[in-house]
Amino acid sequence: MTQLFDLSGRTALVTGSARGIGFALAEGLANAGARVIVNGTRADTVNEAVSRLTNKGLNAQGHAFDVTNEQAVHDAFADWDRQGVQVDIVVNNAGIQFRKPLVELELSDWQRVIDTNLTSAFIVSKQAARRMIERGAGGKIVNIGSLTSEGARATVGAYTAAKGGIKMLTRAMSAEWAASNIQANAIGPGYILTDMNKPLVENPAFDAWVKSSNPSQRWGTPEELVGAAVFLSSAASSYVNGQIIYVDGGWLAVL
Ligand code: GCO
């Protein structure tokens, strides 16, 4: 039965995985047997993350590049082609947050959030899917959505638009790539204890709102997203397409 979830022999690229949710997912996929490629914009933090994984005996390598830069993404995949590295799984996790009311939001800040949280998934997955289709061996795309893929919260308008787009981009990918045995799905995390959310955790009113808004009455941890990521990256989800699995403590299930 555990064969279903075994990622041995697979290579997984996790974007934005030098810390936070991305790092937890990279570690989780590596623990399931994958070789993971850690990505971030800075070589020093990528290398530090890779060391943390290899020091645990996990199969990890790093590649620092900006996932919003199409040429940088193209060059990264060209490097892997030359090295004989075939990316079988892509986790589009890279994301930033920018909390400001829409009427005060600069276009440049809007664009930066959209580019990082949505467009990068297109840029990276396009390169990966081309190769998966050419190889004829199928593949996995796991996009990271959000509660804001379903509902909006004031002051995170760009993020909400991007995460809503992630849900529909996931469906668009499945519409075009499922016939090539590429399963494109998403994970919708609830409120997770990450550096990005530190200001929210430390705000007593926000902390109380999160705990009262989900029946688990607590924040989630990055590690609690690993199960869904392994499932969507493995043979266990071979007939699952265009779905978003909410790992949110039950937030969206209750009034
Ligand atoms: C915020 C948070 C959100 C949540 C996440 C919940 O400011 O509301 O940063 O981004 O972390 O999206 O799914």
Side-chain angles (χ1 to χ4, degrees):
M1 187 56 178
T2 53
Q3 283 295 100
L4 266 179
F5 298 88
D6 184 2
L7 302 182
S8 301
R10 308 278 178 87
T11 296
L13 166 63
V14 184
T15 67
S17 52
R19 64 193 182 105
I21 288 174
F23 180 81
L25 296 183
E27 183 171 21
L29 297 183
N31 278 319
R35 164 175 59 177
V36 296
I37 302 174
V38 175
N39 160 259
T41 53
R42 290 174 42 190
D44 58 340
T45 53
V46 166
N47 293 337
E48 192 271 330
V50 170
S51 298
R52 287 170 61 194
L53 297 177
T54 54
N55 289 343
K56 294 179 179 179
L58 297 172
N59 188 349
Q61 65 187 65
H63 205 127
F65 60 95
D66 177 356
V67 292
T68 68
N69 178 320
E70 188 171 35
Q71 189 59 53
V73 173
H74 174 276
D75 293 348
F77 275 86
D79 285 349
W80 295 324
D81 291 344
R82 281 189 293 274
Q83 297 162 19
V85 173
Q86 296 182 356
V87 174
D88 308 294
I89 302 160
V90 173
V91 179
N92 289 301
N93 166 78
I96 57 175
Q97 182 55 284
F98 199 84
R99 301 182 182 98
K100 189 173 277 189
L102 287 170
V103 292
E104 298 169 22
L105 193 62
E106 298 296 334
L107 177 59
S108 57
D109 292 322
W110 162 275
Q111 198 61 60
R112 194 162 53 87
V113 173
I114 297 292
D115 287 350
T116 308
N117 295 21
L118 176 58
T119 308
S120 71
F122 159 66
I123 294 173
V124 172
S125 303
K126 169 182 168 182
Q127 292 296 331
R130 274 183 176 170
R131 289 162 173 80
M132 292 170 179
I133 292 166
E134 281 164 17
R135 287 198 300 265
K140 296 287 189 175
I141 308 288
V142 183
N143 296 318
I144 303 302
S146 159
L147 289 175
T148 58
S149 297
E150 298 297 339
R153 180 173 91 75
T155 76
V156 290
Y159 184 97
T160 301
K163 293 299 189 180
I166 279 289
K167 182 172 84 167
M168 294 314 294
L169 176 61
T170 301
R171 294 181 185 177
M173 290 173 172
S174 61
E176 295 191 18
W177 298 342
S180 301
N181 191 29
I182 299 168
Q183 290 86 50
N185 293 286
I187 295 169
Y191 276 85
I192 305 295
L193 293 167
T194 60
D195 289 346
M196 183 173 84
N197 285 342
K198 201 165 178 338
L200 307 179
V201 178
E202 292 172 351
N203 176 321
F206 200 101
D207 177 56
W209 174 67
V210 167
K211 289 171 179 170
S212 66
S213 298
N214 76 92
S216 302
Q217 299 179 354
R218 63 177 177 86
W219 294 71
T221 65
E223 293 69 26
E224 289 182 294
L225 301 172
V226 168
V230 171
F231 167 64
L232 292 175
S233 298
S234 71
S237 57
S238 59
Y239 198 50
V240 179
N241 259 300
Q243 300 302 309
I244 182 164
I245 298 178
Y246 285 96
V247 184
D248 66 355
W251 189 303
L252 290 177
V254 299
L255 294 178

